[in-house]
Amino acid sequence: MRTLHFSLRQANNLLFALIVLLNGYVIAAPAWPRLSFWWRANHSSQQAQLTQAVHSRFSASAAANQATGNSLIIPTMLLHQTTLEAPKGDWFNALKQGIWRWPDSSTPDRGGNTVLLAHRFSYTGPHGAFYFLDKLRPGDEIALVWDFKKYVYTVLSSRQVPPSETSIEDNTPDARLTLFTCAPLWHPVNRLVVVATLKAGS
């Protein structure tokens, strides 16, 4: 009987520890990317390197040496990541991997509205590609490498819209880049949409 009582106490202690760990993860996971971002922004030259990558001359030979292929560079977000192409039916897997171009949208070489989307936060992947999309402000620069050419955009606006606002995916007469993700972070009921216009000479 004493052994059984001891075993139950051990089981209770183990269960309590698991509950504490699980709750700790639920509370800490959404904040961890911000701590990581703060550290990288203040203790590395990553932002300066990405800014240089946006402004530097870009050649087809340099692009050919990169294994990343088409990619998005946003210094403000400390982001340099591959963009994916996948049919609409495979959107779930595409978003699990990172940044996905909306198949019905344009591409930088054709002008119009190029639409990219990515996850912001999930407990299985706390640091989604667009976790820091809310940091973008008008005037910030974005580079999109597409088919061995770099297109530089300037952020025009950042706003939240309801999911029913599908006009953000529509084609446009002007060359622009539209980025969107879920918002707000803790209770994603809307879309956070950033629109950027192509810089002259890009």
Side-chain angles (χ1 to χ4, degrees):
M1 189 70 177
R2 186 175 179 181
T3 304
L4 178 61
H5 176 71
F6 184 71
S7 296
L8 286 173
R9 190 171 66 183
Q10 282 183 319
N12 283 336
N13 288 341
L14 179 60
L15 183 60
F16 177 75
L18 288 173
I19 290 171
V20 169
L21 287 173
L22 181 61
N23 284 324
Y25 177 75
V26 167
I27 293 168
W32 174 251
R34 292 199 181 274
L35 181 60
S36 172
F37 181 91
W38 174 84
W39 180 263
R40 288 184 295 141
N42 290 283
H43 297 86
S44 78
S45 58
Q46 187 176 5
Q47 189 163 16
Q49 291 169 355
L50 292 176
T51 300
Q52 183 179 7
V54 168
H55 294 118
S56 64
R57 188 181 175 123
F58 193 80
S59 66
S61 59
N65 290 328
Q66 292 183 350
T68 56
N70 296 338
S71 60
L72 186 66
I73 306 169
I74 308 179
T76 303
M77 293 170 56
L78 301 182
L79 177 77
H80 186 183
Q81 191 165 327
T82 301
T83 60
L84 305 168
E85 294 288 301
K88 279 198 272 189
D90 200 30
W91 68 270
F92 184 78
N93 287 326
L95 286 178
K96 274 174 53 178
Q97 296 177 61
I99 304 168
W100 176 49
R101 185 184 69 84
W102 180 246
D104 291 343
S105 73
S106 188
T107 55
D109 54 321
R110 292 187 289 143
N113 188 18
T114 301
V115 180
L116 302 177
L117 53 152
H119 283 310
R120 191 171 182 204
F121 170 81
S122 69
Y123 280 103
T124 54
H127 188 176
F130 283 175
Y131 185 100
F132 294 111
L133 196 64
D134 63 329
K135 287 186 173 292
L136 287 176
R137 298 289 181 268
D140 286 346
E141 291 185 319
I142 299 170
L144 179 57
V145 177
W146 186 267
D147 285 344
F148 308 125
K149 185 177 177 183
K150 183 169 63 180
Y151 300 82
V152 180
Y153 299 83
T154 303
V155 172
L156 186 65
S157 64
S158 177
R159 62 194 174 105
Q160 285 193 32
V161 300
S164 58
E165 184 60 62
T166 58
S167 63
I168 61 172
E169 302 159 8
D170 292 346
N171 203 10
T172 56
D174 62 310
R176 66 171 59 181
L177 179 65
T178 299
L179 313 175
F180 75 85
T181 190
C182 296
L185 186 65
W186 294 94
H187 184 53
V189 293
N190 293 320
R191 287 173 170 176
L192 174 61
V193 183
V194 171
V195 175
T197 56
L198 187 67
K199 289 187 70 173
S202 292

PDB file of all heavy atoms in Angstrom, residues 9 24 126 144 159:
ATOM      1  N   ARG A   9       2.043   9.387  -5.930  1.00  0.00           N
ATOM      2  CA  ARG A   9       2.631  10.700  -5.679  1.00  0.00           C
ATOM      3  C   ARG A   9       3.633  11.065  -6.778  1.00  0.00           C
ATOM      4  O   ARG A   9       3.673  12.186  -7.247  1.00  0.00           O
ATOM      5  CB  ARG A   9       3.312  10.721  -4.304  1.00  0.00           C
ATOM      6  CG  ARG A   9       3.737  12.128  -3.889  1.00  0.00           C
ATOM      7  CD  ARG A   9       4.189  12.188  -2.475  1.00  0.00           C
ATOM      8  NE  ARG A   9       5.421  11.406  -2.321  1.00  0.00           N
ATOM      9  CZ  ARG A   9       6.026  11.228  -1.152  1.00  0.00           C
ATOM     10  NH1 ARG A   9       5.495  11.715  -0.062  1.00  0.00           N
ATOM     11  NH2 ARG A   9       7.142  10.530  -1.096  1.00  0.00           N
ATOM     12  N   GLY A  24       4.101  26.702 -19.857  1.00  0.00           N
ATOM     13  CA  GLY A  24       5.249  27.573 -20.113  1.00  0.00           C
ATOM     14  C   GLY A  24       5.501  27.730 -21.609  1.00  0.00           C
ATOM     15  O   GLY A  24       5.770  28.829 -22.092  1.00  0.00           O
ATOM     16  N   PRO A 126       6.607  28.451 -34.403  1.00  0.00           N
ATOM     17  CA  PRO A 126       6.386  29.769 -33.794  1.00  0.00           C
ATOM     18  C   PRO A 126       6.893  30.946 -34.622  1.00  0.00           C
ATOM     19  O   PRO A 126       6.275  31.992 -34.633  1.00  0.00           O
ATOM     20  CB  PRO A 126       7.135  29.667 -32.458  1.00  0.00           C
ATOM     21  CG  PRO A 126       7.165  28.210 -32.150  1.00  0.00           C
ATOM     22  CD  PRO A 126       7.286  27.526 -33.482  1.00  0.00           C
ATOM     23  N   LEU A 144      12.819  41.523 -54.241  1.00  0.00           N
ATOM     24  CA  LEU A 144      12.349  40.209 -54.644  1.00  0.00           C
ATOM     25  C   LEU A 144      13.220  39.740 -55.802  1.00  0.00           C
ATOM     26  O   LEU A 144      13.262  40.372 -56.857  1.00  0.00           O
ATOM     27  CB  LEU A 144      10.879  40.271 -55.070  1.00  0.00           C
ATOM     28  CG  LEU A 144      10.230  38.966 -55.541  1.00  0.00           C
ATOM     29  CD1 LEU A 144      10.325  37.876 -54.471  1.00  0.00           C
ATOM     30  CD2 LEU A 144       8.775  39.195 -55.928  1.00  0.00           C
ATOM     31  N   ARG A 159      -1.912  47.534 -43.433  1.00  0.00           N
ATOM     32  CA  ARG A 159      -3.237  47.635 -42.813  1.00  0.00           C
ATOM     33  C   ARG A 159      -3.809  46.246 -42.571  1.00  0.00           C
ATOM     34  O   ARG A 159      -3.325  45.269 -43.131  1.00  0.00           O
ATOM     35  CB  ARG A 159      -4.195  48.427 -43.701  1.00  0.00           C
ATOM     36  CG  ARG A 159      -4.449  47.790 -45.054  1.00  0.00           C
ATOM     37  CD  ARG A 159      -5.118  48.725 -46.032  1.00  0.00           C
ATOM     38  NE  ARG A 159      -5.232  48.139 -47.348  1.00  0.00           N
ATOM     39  CZ  ARG A 159      -6.347  47.662 -47.884  1.00  0.00           C
ATOM     40  NH1 ARG A 159      -7.489  47.711 -47.201  1.00  0.00           N
ATOM     41  NH2 ARG A 159      -6.364  47.143 -49.092  1.00  0.00           N
TER      42      ARG A 159
END
